[in-house]
Amino acid sequence: MSFVKDIRRVLVDGRILIEKEWEINTIVACLLARGHVLIEGVPGVAKTYTAKSIARLLDLDFRRVQMTPDLLPSDIVGYYVFDQKTGEFRLRRGPIFTNILLADEINRASPRTQSALLEAMQERQVTIEGQTFKLEEPFMALATQNPIEMEGVFPLPEAQLDRFLAKIVTGYVSHKGFVEMLRRAHEIEAAIEELKPVIPRSALLEEMARSTGVRVDDSILDYIASIVEETRRHPAVRLGGSPRSGIAILKLAKAWAYLDGRSYAIPDDVKAVAKPALVHRIILKPEYELQGVTPERVVDDVLTKVPVPRP
Amino acid sequence: MRAPLALLALLVLAVSAAAETPRHTPGFPNVETSEHLAELLRLLQDPVVAELLLRLASVGPGSEEAVEELVEKGVLGPEQGAGILRALNSSIDDLAGRADPALLEELRGLLGSEKPDPERLRGLLSTLLAMRESGLLDPYTFIALAGILSGALRKLGFEVPAELSHGVLSSLSGLLSPSTSPSRGAEERPVAGVGAGFPRSPELGASLPSVPTLLETLYPALLSILACSLLTLSLVYRRKRISGLLLRLRASLGRGLEPRTLTAGDDPVSVYWRSVGLVERALGVRKLDHATHREYLSSATRASAELGKYRRTVECFSEITRLYEVVRFAGESLEGAAVRAGEKFREMVESLGRP
Ligand SMILES: Nc1ncnc2c1ncn2[C@@H]1O[C@H](COP(=O)(O)OP(=O)(O)OP(=O)(O)O)[C@@H](O)[C@H]1O
Ligand SMILES: [Mg+2]
């Protein structure tokens, strides 16, 4: 709704984040749909900046954790410490107690820590020493990962990947955008620190509730189901979209429609979100992967095969 | 002299029908597939069948007999034959249920007048052709209406225009029985001439490309033949049919379709699909099955900008698209949407006359 226009005005028109409009839109859509995002990109493509500036504009608390192999689950969720003065145990909340959590390089953390984080993301609550704590609302995790396979990483298993509502693959800006970024490098850094909220947190929560009321025609549900089924039939695919991926498309399409100021979804919304909703859930046959086929291409293929609703 | 010329004309017509197949409106049956055309080409090797098809294509006197004979020869299925005969024997009123009411009103008005305006008749012809191509008219109704129209034209002393025969032939190509016995008969009785280049004997067939492949390889050549032949045809008839086709379509639609004729059944959804057919034809941009309404609108807008014309057409289409979207996906029975869509449709049709 209007707050997205404001975000776009500040970040896109204000040239703070260059050529990141799609990423911004998708992240905000995930937030509305109460989902989490996996961001894939090489270092230095403004992943942190994007997350941070969205958090600031939405009046949200923002924390960042650098995932490393020695990080323990308690380093994320929190733990009790003994307070010598009072003689009592005091809860030290981990960085997960925030609105937007940026978990940098999630695949560097040990599988144990990864699964603790993913579980908390899913349940929206954590248990410390047998005591359960609800996480704040809204809560969204943005996990980043480097696409280049490096040593000492623990790739996320398929089942864990399925828990991310969307995967955003972000890359370098164009040459022209790059030059502009260089020209504005100083200003950009200062501008991000000075960003003011464009919407109060309470209003954002209302918008989130309202966005679930977007109307989805039966023919659109049919369209979504056909797309997911077609990914399973694709010759290059070993494992196609899960039922959960269909739900992900639906949720994201509704959010996408809402952000566009509509109270109803159209096939274009489905097309816009199909890639981020599907790419991390499609597993290719190795022989096709070797030939350079990517999940993105599979989704493109599928979208040009499945007819849109008619009449 | 006449027969080879007629065969050449038929071949050309068939190929030109093939050239138009991509402009198919989703949601409507696509009758002209390449197999149909290949079948047609095969049939044309038999001079008797070719003569019959030619007679039917000119929808003049004797076309009913031609249908019967084609059924007898197995070229047309009995069902298809009966369908054509039924349609040929229908009155305009009988056909009303199957075609656009506005179109029929126009046809009835013209035929009822003492001295029909030939230009309007020709305009009507273009409308008919456009509706056939977009799938708005089923082949039977089209053949019947073509018969009525050609009758009227003959009465005025005009020859039956090539486009009309072409349209009938294309419609017929979708009704032909697949791999019928007479076509196999034709294989047994090879004729020299047009058929000579196509594989016929089994031994040859194994090494030679199939007809569709051949069609593909010969496509550029056939298209140039088509262009030359159309030029010749237009010289013969002394009319600039080809270039004038669209202009007449626009003019006739503008005159023929009054908003009052866009009634109950013409909700924004059906108006949308009708306008897609017109935009496809005017701008030459096909709506692909996987393209959304918004995507198609941007393609149309782009094409119009590139051509530097049809700006108003696309503006109207944009509004029709918007109404379609709201009615179709928001589930709203938008107040006055049908009326507005009808108005925009008429405005759009009028704008086609002034690109
Ligand atoms: N598209 C862009 N628009 C504006 N600034 C950009 C863009 N791409 C990169 N930058 C600049 O690059 C620098 C690095 O950004 P940032 O720290 O957000 O990257 P990152 O993707 O989080 O990197 P890492 O993977 O190392 O954490 C910042 O100074 C940022 O301003
Ligand atoms: Mg970073």
Side-chain angles (χ1 to χ4, degrees), chain A residues 215-217 219-220 223 260 262-268 271 302-311, chain B residues 24-28 269 273 287-295 322 324-326 328-332:
Chain A
R215 180 185 190 273
V216 182
D217 191 78
S219 62
I220 301 252
Y223 183 49
D260 194 37
R262 271 177 287 114
S263 58
Y264 56 89
I266 57 175
D268 302 77
K271 278 194 167 179
V302 164
L303 290 179
T304 55
K305 237 180 249 158
V306 179
V308 297
R310 48 188 161 178
Chain B
H24 158 63
T25 308
F28 296 102
V269 175
W273 286 104
K287 185 178 184 300
L288 301 164
D289 285 355
H290 66 261
T292 68
H293 56 288
R294 287 192 178 201
E295 285 169 343
R322 191 187 68 81
Y324 164 78
E325 177 182 299
V326 176
R328 179 66 180 74
F329 295 108
E332 283 173 36

Side-chain angles (χ1 to χ4, degrees), chain A:
Chain A
M1 291 298 281
S2 64
F3 76 94
V4 199
K5 283 204 194 100
D6 289 333
I7 293 180
R8 249 179 256 145
R9 181 175 46 74
V10 175
L11 296 181
V12 180
D13 305 343
R15 314 301 289 154
I16 290 181
L17 289 173
I18 293 155
E19 294 171 16
K20 296 285 170 197
E21 185 170 1
W22 181 80
E23 286 86 344
I24 294 167
N25 253 344
T26 311
I27 291 173
V28 177
C30 279
L31 182 72
L32 280 190
R34 303 179 89 242
H36 308 288
V37 190
L38 180 64
I39 306 180
E40 191 173 276
V42 293
V45 289
K47 298 186 292 287
T48 305
Y49 269 45
T50 308
K52 198 167 164 184
S53 40
I54 290 174
R56 277 180 181 272
L57 290 172
L58 295 180
D59 192 19
L60 298 176
D61 198 33
F62 172 77
R63 303 283 284 275
R64 179 182 165 276
V65 208
Q66 178 64 49
M67 306 288 260
T68 52
D70 56 359
L71 201 75
L72 296 172
S74 57
D75 292 329
I76 292 176
V77 297
Y79 48 88
Y80 280 98
V81 283
F82 186 69
D83 190 332
Q84 300 230 319
K85 260 187 257 162
T86 60
E88 275 171 25
F89 280 95
R90 208 157 44 78
L91 175 67
R92 177 155 297 169
R93 290 167 182 248
I96 202 161
F97 289 91
T98 185
N99 298 121
I100 293 187
L101 174 72
L102 182 68
D104 257 331
E105 292 182 277
I106 189 164
N107 48 358
R108 289 188 148 264
S110 70
R112 216 176 121 229
T113 308
Q114 283 178 5
S115 71
L117 171 64
L118 287 157
E119 214 179 294
M121 278 163 42
Q122 173 105 345
E123 317 258 306
R124 294 177 174 270
Q125 62 179 34
V126 291
T127 306
I128 306 167
E129 303 285 339
Q131 231 191 316
T132 302
F133 300 90
K134 279 225 161 304
L135 296 180
E136 285 180 55
E137 274 291 346
F139 171 67
M140 174 166 70
L142 300 169
T144 74
Q145 91 184 5
N146 194 316
I148 317 281
E149 290 294 331
M150 290 176 299
E151 265 179 65
V153 297
F154 305 95
L156 290 175
E158 275 100 66
Q160 305 284 39
L161 284 174
D162 208 18
R163 296 181 183 213
F164 286 97
L165 187 64
K167 174 175 164 182
I168 295 176
V169 180
T170 188
Y172 298 121
V173 291
S174 67
H175 181 79
K176 197 164 151 260
F178 192 15
V179 173
E180 184 177 0
M181 192 204 87
L182 291 176
R183 192 185 308 122
R184 294 179 43 85
H186 262 317
E187 295 162 61
I188 289 174
E189 256 161 72
I192 286 188
E193 294 308 318
E194 278 163 25
L195 290 175
K196 296 274 176 297
V198 293
I199 183 175
R201 195 179 300 193
S202 56
L204 177 67
L205 288 168
E206 276 167 32
E207 299 271 18
M208 285 170 68
R210 227 174 286 143
S211 73
T212 58
V214 166
R215 180 185 190 273
V216 182
D217 191 78
D218 275 354
S219 62
I220 301 252
L221 299 179
D222 196 80
Y223 183 49
I224 294 174
S226 304
I227 289 172
V228 173
E229 283 161 4
E230 194 65 38
T231 64
R232 298 180 199 150
R233 277 195 285 270
H234 195 283
V237 169
R238 187 157 65 89
L239 186 70
S242 63
R244 197 188 264 158
S245 70
I247 296 172
I249 297 179
L250 174 63
K251 281 185 176 173
L252 278 172
K254 284 169 86 169
W256 200 266
Y258 191 76
L259 292 179
D260 194 37
R262 271 177 287 114
S263 58
Y264 56 89
I266 57 175
D268 302 77
D269 300 320
V270 175
K271 278 194 167 179
V273 303
K275 238 183 237 177
L278 284 170
V279 285
H280 54 303
R281 305 176 217 250
I282 290 176
I283 297 171
L284 300 174
K285 290 180 188 154
E287 63 267 32
Y288 283 91
E289 217 170 350
L290 284 174
Q291 283 171 31
V293 176
T294 58
E296 279 82 0
R297 227 185 84 190
V298 169
V299 176
D300 278 335
D301 263 8
V302 164
L303 290 179
T304 55
K305 237 180 249 158
V306 179
V308 297
R310 48 188 161 178

